[in-house]
Amino acid sequence: QQSLTVSLDRLLAYLDPANQRLQPSVQLNLDPPKIFHSRKPAVLVMIMGEPQLKPVVSDKNDLMFVSNTNWDIFYETALQRYYLLNHDNWLTTADLINGPWAPVSLLPPGLSSLPDDANWADVRQNVPGKQVKEVPVVLVSKGPAELILTQGEPAYAPIPGTKLMRVTNSDAVVFLHSGDAKYYYLTAGRWFRARADLARRAGA
């Protein structure tokens, strides 16, 4: 029951490296995510791969939902349209990936008779939803992505003693380095850089 303190160097001296099991290598994906920029209010919808549709009710195919996203997206088979719940309002499109999206004037009947269980509780509370005057830009990615929102064209403030300029009209951490003419963006603990003009990225 006694403890013994031994220096790490002494312990390693008794180990034969040839007899030690090698730790398996870990495959890391260092590819940068797709990074969108919008000068207007926007939402980023991430779908993990191609959209996977499943019926809301197992024996009925009139109303489907996209299962591989954390957004509430439904597909009405008769009208062949998608319906996206954005907070307390609904948007619709015929093309899930490319849009364009428009506000919903009338929801399909199936959304008014969703199963009474916890899976659809939040959705039922927002049927029929509120009307919106300004439709946000809906950016859809079939993989990991990030969104940089600026209030209009990017505005900059120089940082004294450096060649950096901070983008000031965004909550994102974005810098422009005048020395190499590149943007530097911090998100999820990682830095990314791009030479492209921030104001033209993603065209939003």
Side-chain angles (χ1 to χ4, degrees):
Q1 300 297 321
Q2 295 182 350
S3 62
L4 178 64
T5 302
V6 180
S7 68
L8 179 60
D9 290 338
R10 175 172 292 185
L11 180 62
L12 293 176
Y14 284 95
L15 297 178
D16 183 0
N19 294 328
Q20 305 308 311
R21 297 180 56 186
L22 296 178
Q23 295 296 319
S25 60
V26 177
Q27 297 296 326
L28 297 178
N29 183 4
L30 298 179
D31 295 337
K34 191 170 185 178
I35 298 176
F36 294 93
H37 166 245
S38 179
R39 300 179 292 267
K40 305 174 183 177
V43 294
L44 174 59
V45 176
M46 285 187 288
I47 302 172
M48 295 298 102
E50 295 295 331
Q52 303 294 321
L53 292 175
K54 293 185 178 180
V56 173
V57 180
S58 59
D59 57 346
K60 296 181 179 180
N61 292 327
D62 57 331
L63 185 65
M64 317 282 284
F65 73 98
V66 180
S67 62
N68 54 337
T69 180
N70 59 350
W71 287 79
D72 292 310
I73 305 176
F74 297 87
Y75 180 70
E76 214 276 339
T77 55
L79 298 176
Q80 297 185 349
R81 294 193 67 85
Y82 293 91
Y83 295 84
L84 167 68
L85 177 58
N86 177 37
H87 300 298
D88 57 2
N89 60 86
W90 290 87
L91 306 173
T92 182
T93 184
D95 188 336
L96 176 59
I97 305 301
N98 300 308
W101 294 82
V104 174
S105 56
L106 182 64
L107 288 172
L111 284 173
S112 298
S113 56
L114 291 171
D116 187 12
D117 57 45
N119 290 332
W120 312 110
D122 292 340
V123 179
R124 291 196 309 272
Q125 291 177 1
N126 291 286
V127 174
K130 297 181 179 180
Q131 295 295 318
V132 292
K133 296 181 179 179
E134 183 178 0
V135 178
V137 176
V138 180
L139 302 168
V140 180
S141 176
K142 294 187 288 186
E146 298 288 345
L147 173 59
I148 300 173
L149 284 174
T150 56
Q151 298 176 7
E153 296 293 335
Y156 305 93
I159 299 178
T162 74
K163 295 183 178 181
L164 291 172
M165 294 186 293
R166 172 76 184 265
V167 176
T168 57
N169 57 342
S170 174
D171 291 334
V173 181
V174 185
F175 298 90
L176 173 62
H177 192 279
S178 59
D180 59 11
K182 292 182 179 179
Y183 288 92
Y184 292 81
Y185 171 45
L186 175 64
T187 180
R190 298 174 64 189
W191 285 94
F192 301 94
R193 66 181 178 183
R195 183 178 296 276
D197 183 357
L198 176 64
R200 296 178 182 173
R201 295 184 64 81

